[in-house]
């Protein structure tokens, strides 16, 4: 069955690309694939939300829509990977070690959602150029996953389509109320816990999305939407809480610790404008 699934996901493309990358270039490709990683999306999303308005990139409201897309997409990845539970290519094909399920590609899903959201919401450049740049970045991230031998072609195509569909749906829902986007993210995370079980990744997704929704409630209740946030204020908060959340995953923290730290990080990332002026 695994061989049939691999064939259906275009195993030959991965084997050909991964086998053609010189060993000296593997660290470079591994570094570039970070552009679609969970850590990049959860760092860049809050940064655009917090600092983009003061630089004229987008409104704080649209930044919040992008943030809802970012956290929601990560919950979608956890749900989809758990639901399909398809394996990655064998270790003999991989150029770097990767663990967990392979379908769909989380990097491709997150990249399509995040860069698609940026293309739709930014006010920099023309719309056509933004979408072209976004599509190029998604394709590039997908290529790095194939070149590293950690996904099949079907994985990255499915991930890109899933991320694009998710961002389209969430941006449509949030035209009227941003809270809808965060609420959908919570519902997806709840579904992930139900499907995958109470393990680290679903609990982290649930904590983060619930915290983000609570943070948005604080921003709207305190009428802090237009408040500016300084780097000096944001950096320590994001560094401490974001770092603590990451450590609970890296060092096998207890499930309550994972959930609480991700919830606190979610609240902080969204609610920091309350501290501004």
């Amino acid at each position: 069955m695994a061989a049939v699934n691999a064939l259906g996901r275009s195993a030959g493309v991965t084997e050909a690309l991964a086998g053609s990358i010189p060993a000296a270039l593997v660290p470079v490709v591994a570094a570039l694939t970070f552009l679609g990683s969970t850590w990049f999306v959860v760092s860049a999303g809050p940064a655009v939300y917090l600092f983009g308005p003061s630089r004229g990139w987008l409104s704080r409201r649209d930044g919040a829509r992008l943030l809802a897309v970012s956290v929601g997409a990560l919950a979608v990845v956890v749900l989809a990977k758990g639901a399909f539970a398809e394996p990655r290519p064998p270790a003999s094909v991989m150029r770097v070690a990767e663990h967990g399920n392979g379908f769909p590609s989380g990097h491709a899903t997150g990249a399509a959602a995040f860069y698609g959201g940026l293309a739709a919401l930014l006010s920099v450049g023309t719309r056509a150029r933004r979408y072209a740049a976004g599509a190029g970045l998604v394709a590039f991230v997908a290529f790095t996953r194939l070149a590293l031998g950690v996904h099949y072609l079907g994985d990255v195509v499915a991930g890109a389509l899933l991320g694009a569909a998710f961002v389209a749906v969430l941006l449509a829902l949030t035209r009227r109320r941003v809270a809808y986007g965060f609420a959908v993210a919570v519902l997806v995370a709840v579904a992930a816990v139900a499907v995958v079980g109470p393990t680290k990744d679903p609990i982290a997704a649930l904590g983060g999305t619930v915290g983000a929704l609570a943070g948005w409630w604080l921003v709207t209740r305190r009428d802090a939407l237009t408040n500016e946030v300084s780097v000096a204020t944001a950096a320590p908060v994001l560094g401490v809480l974001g770092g603590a959340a990451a450590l609970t995953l890296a060092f096998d923290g207890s499930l309550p610790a994972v959930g609480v730290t991700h919830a606190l990080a979610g609240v902080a990332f969204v609610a920091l404008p309350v501290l501004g002026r």
Side-chain angles (χ1 to χ4, degrees), residues 39 66 162 191 261:
W39 307 117
L66 177 66
L162 178 60
T261 55

Side-chain angles (χ1 to χ4, degrees), residues 195-253:
V195 170
V196 181
T199 56
K200 287 192 304 180
D201 288 344
I203 294 298
L206 181 59
T209 54
V210 169
L213 178 60
W216 181 248
W217 179 83
L218 286 172
V219 169
T220 54
R221 185 173 179 82
R222 299 291 182 87
D223 197 24
L225 190 60
T226 59
N227 290 358
E228 290 192 8
V229 179
S230 69
V231 175
T233 299
V237 176
L238 298 182
V240 170
L241 291 178
L247 287 174
T248 62
L249 295 178
F251 294 100
D252 294 324

Side-chain angles (χ1 to χ4, degrees), residues 17-47:
L17 277 177
S20 67
I21 300 296
L25 290 181
V26 170
V28 177
V29 178
L32 292 172
T33 202
F34 182 72
L35 292 171
S37 69
T38 297
W39 307 117
F40 180 81
V41 171
V42 299
S43 300

Side-chain angles (χ1 to χ4, degrees), residues 8-277:
R9 290 152 68 194
S10 302
V13 175
T14 296
E15 292 171 358
L17 277 177
S20 67
I21 300 296
L25 290 181
V26 170
V28 177
V29 178
L32 292 172
T33 202
F34 182 72
L35 292 171
S37 69
T38 297
W39 307 117
F40 180 81
V41 171
V42 299
S43 300
V48 174
Y49 161 72
L50 293 171
F51 309 124
S54 63
R55 289 159 176 78
W57 296 346
L58 77 178
S59 67
R60 176 64 50 68
R61 185 180 187 279
D62 280 346
R65 295 171 73 195
L66 177 66
L67 194 51
V69 166
S70 301
V71 298
L74 300 179
V76 166
V77 168
V78 175
L79 173 60
K81 281 182 177 286
F84 289 103
E86 293 286 352
R88 292 182 183 271
S92 59
V93 175
M94 291 186 187
R95 304 300 298 273
V96 295
E98 286 276 3
H99 305 285
N101 296 324
F103 182 90
S105 165
H107 279 65
T109 305
F114 179 68
Y115 294 121
L118 278 178
L121 298 172
L122 288 181
S123 57
V124 178
T126 66
R127 188 178 183 87
R129 288 181 177 178
R130 293 198 304 270
Y131 275 105
L137 283 166
V138 174
F140 179 73
V141 168
F143 167 79
T144 65
R145 305 309 285 167
L146 297 175
L148 291 172
V150 296
H151 280 295
Y152 297 117
L153 178 62
D155 302 344
V156 297
V157 171
L161 292 175
L162 178 60
F166 183 74
V167 68
V169 169
L170 233 65
L171 291 184
L173 286 175
T174 54
R175 284 195 187 108
R176 185 173 181 180
R177 290 191 65 182
V178 174
Y180 291 162
F182 290 113
V184 168
V186 171
L187 291 176
V188 174
V190 169
V193 174
V195 170
V196 181
T199 56
K200 287 192 304 180
D201 288 344
I203 294 298
L206 181 59
T209 54
V210 169
L213 178 60
W216 181 248
W217 179 83
L218 286 172
V219 169
T220 54
R221 185 173 179 82
R222 299 291 182 87
D223 197 24
L225 190 60
T226 59
N227 290 358
E228 290 192 8
V229 179
S230 69
V231 175
T233 299
V237 176
L238 298 182
V240 170
L241 291 178
L247 287 174
T248 62
L249 295 178
F251 294 100
D252 294 324
S254 67
L255 291 182
V258 170
V260 170
T261 55
H262 279 79
L264 290 175
V267 172
F269 286 8
V270 181
L272 268 172
V274 173
L275 302 179
R277 57 181 180 177

